[in-house]
């Protein structure tokens, strides 16, 4: 149970066995993207996934890695299509912030991904840069989490 919202979604670290259910709510994996399914499985096996769920099952997940200049990086934030615009993304973002063990936390999204940009802006993340060349014609926007939200900064 989520003490902030009884009956609402809880966030927990995903187990290796959770990957199949997560692949089922991931729009790319569910559409048959084998590479995304394999990544989801690997992320779960490595303990990198925070999973939001309620009594109905998984609602979304976030992947937190430390491969971006040895700082925290939200590699993926995925919310099931049926759970979007209900606070699940915000809840996952807060959980990732709380779990981060470095003084900085970044993420990125395509210029075309307006819902993710809105989520990050509403959560107070700051634009940190723009990179061309990853996806043809759709540059990548990078964002930085406010440092005072990270446990390392508060210690």
């Amino acid at each position: 149970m989520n003490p902030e919202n009884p009956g609402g979604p809880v966030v927990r670290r995903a187990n290796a066995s959770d990957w199949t259910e997560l692949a089922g709510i991931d729009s790319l994996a569910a559409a048959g993207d084998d590479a995304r399914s394999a990544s989801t499985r690997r992320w779960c096996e490595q303990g990198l996934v925070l999973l939001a769920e309620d009594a109905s099952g998984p609602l979304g997940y976030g992947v937190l890695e430390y491969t971006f200049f040895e700082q925290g990086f939200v590699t993926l934030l995925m919310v099931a299509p049926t759970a979007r615009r209900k606070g699940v993304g915000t809840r996952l973002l807060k959980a990732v912030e709380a779990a981060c063990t470095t003084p900085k936390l970044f993420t990125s999204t395509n210029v075309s991904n307006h819902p993710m940009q809105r989520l990050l802006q509403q959560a107070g993340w700051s634009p940190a840069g723009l990179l061309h060349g990853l996806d043809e014609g759709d540059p990548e926007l990078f964002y930085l989490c406010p440092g005072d939200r990270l446990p390392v900064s508060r210690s």
Side-chain angles (χ1 to χ4, degrees), residues 83-148:
R84 291 181 183 159
R85 310 285 307 154
K86 297 179 181 177
V88 175
T90 299
R91 179 76 182 99
L92 280 168
L93 207 52
K94 286 180 181 180
V96 169
E97 291 171 5
C100 185
T101 61
T102 58
K104 293 181 182 177
L105 176 61
F106 295 89
T107 195
S108 70
T109 189
N110 290 98
V111 167
S112 65
N113 189 344
H114 300 290
M116 183 64 172
Q117 291 174 52
R118 277 192 301 275
L119 173 65
L120 292 167
Q121 290 164 0
Q122 289 171 354
W125 288 50
S126 302
L130 178 70
L131 178 67
H132 293 270
L134 289 176
D135 294 324
E136 189 64 36
D138 197 4
E140 196 80 6
L141 293 168
F142 285 79
Y143 288 84
L144 176 63
C145 177
D148 61 354

Side-chain angles (χ1 to χ4, degrees), residues 20-53:
T20 53
E21 282 190 294
L22 294 181
I25 65 164
D26 183 310
S27 52
L28 288 178
D33 186 325
D34 292 335
R36 176 62 72 86
S37 293
S39 292
T40 304
R41 181 179 191 161
R42 178 177 39 82
W43 292 325
C44 286
E45 289 171 347
Q46 293 174 345
L48 303 174
V49 176
L50 293 168
L51 159 65
E53 65 186 349

